[in-house]
Structures are given as structure tokens and as C-alpha cells.
Amino acid sequence: MRIVVQRVNRASVRVDGQTVGEIGRGLLVLLGIGKEDADADSDYIIGKILSLRIFHDDEGKMNRSVTDIAGSVLVVSQFTLHGDVRKGTRPSFSDAMPPADAEKFYGRFMEKLRAATPLKVAEGRFAAMMDVELVNDGPVTLVLDSRLR
């Protein structure tokens, strides 16, 4: 499982001109599900999302998590995070989980994330063409891969 985490002041997702998810201060998470991913990958990533200390404390140090600041989380599925461009210039997505399986996996991931926190958790729409808008705070952007623990 690969994610791009961005610390944001606000973020939203629109599908066909309608807002389907939005948050204020918190984390925008772009989520790519790989064909080999399992529940342990979800658990690891959820733990990281909720505990990454990337928000400033009173001394200006990145020492607080989204949980500590009572922020929000917006998750957007993005299979292109598993795009491989090592050969040629057209991405191969053979490492991404097939769409039907990924949709079920994504649903379970979202259920687990919501069960793990009282924070507001919003999401995009799986497999939809989405317009994602954000105001990156910092900017602070991190990439995590559950296979590289």
C-alpha cells in the first residue's frame, strides 16, 4: 500500500461538479492499493496516518499528530501510485490491485480508519474522475509504502 500524505489547511474532492468530501485542517491522503496488499498493510498505514507527528507544537516543532490537533482526514483512492515507468514512458499498472478487489479493500480500509478514530474522516469516490483541491500547509508532503517498513 502506498500513500502520499499532505498536511493541509483545507482540502476537498468534487465529482461531476459536486463536492463529495471536504475537510479543514488535517491530512489529505492519496491511497494506492497494491495487488499484494493485505489487512496488515491497512493496519500499518492507518496507524501511521493517525500518529505521524507533522503538525507544529507550541514551540514550532513538528511534534503533534492529526489526532493531537483534533484535525480531519480526507482519503482519495489513487491507483496511479502503483504506476511503473521504469520501462518506456507509458505507466504500467500491473502492481495495482484489480479494480473490483481494490474497491472492496478500499471499503474495508475506510471502515477500519473510521473505527480507529473519532476524527472527521471524509473520502473521495472510488474509481471516479475527481477534482482534488487543497491548500498544502508548509508544504509538508510525505510518501509511505507499507512494504518498506
Side-chain angles (χ1 to χ4, degrees), residues 37-102:
D37 287 338
D39 286 340
D41 297 286
S42 288
D43 297 341
Y44 172 78
I45 292 295
I46 289 168
K48 286 292 189 179
I49 290 168
L50 297 176
S51 63
L52 283 172
R53 296 185 320 163
I54 60 174
F55 291 89
H56 292 118
D57 63 15
D58 294 336
E59 297 175 9
K61 295 181 181 178
M62 288 199 296
N63 205 25
R64 292 189 176 149
S65 69
V66 70
T67 302
D68 295 333
I69 67 153
S72 303
V73 179
L74 173 59
V75 180
V76 176
S77 64
Q78 189 167 348
F79 78 96
T80 60
L81 290 176
H82 283 281
D84 185 351
V85 293
R86 289 177 291 177
K87 296 179 184 175
T89 56
R90 183 170 184 252
S92 167
F93 299 107
S94 61
D95 289 338
M97 187 176 282
D101 296 333

Side-chain angles (χ1 to χ4, degrees), residues 130-149:
M130 295 176 272
D131 293 327
V132 180
E133 186 174 72
L134 67 129
V135 175
N136 196 319
D137 178 19
V140 174
T141 303
L142 301 169
V143 179
L144 288 86
D145 189 319
S146 63
R147 300 292 169 174
L148 302 176
R149 342 182 188 170

Side-chain angles (χ1 to χ4, degrees), residues 8-15 18-24 27-28 30 74-76 120 122-124 130-135:
V8 299
N9 287 320
R10 67 179 177 277
S12 64
V13 179
R14 296 173 64 84
V15 176
Q18 294 192 336
T19 301
V20 296
E22 64 183 335
I23 62 168
L27 299 175
L28 170 63
L30 306 176
L74 173 59
V75 180
V76 176
K120 175 183 179 180
E123 63 183 293
M130 295 176 272
D131 293 327
V132 180
E133 186 174 72
L134 67 129
V135 175

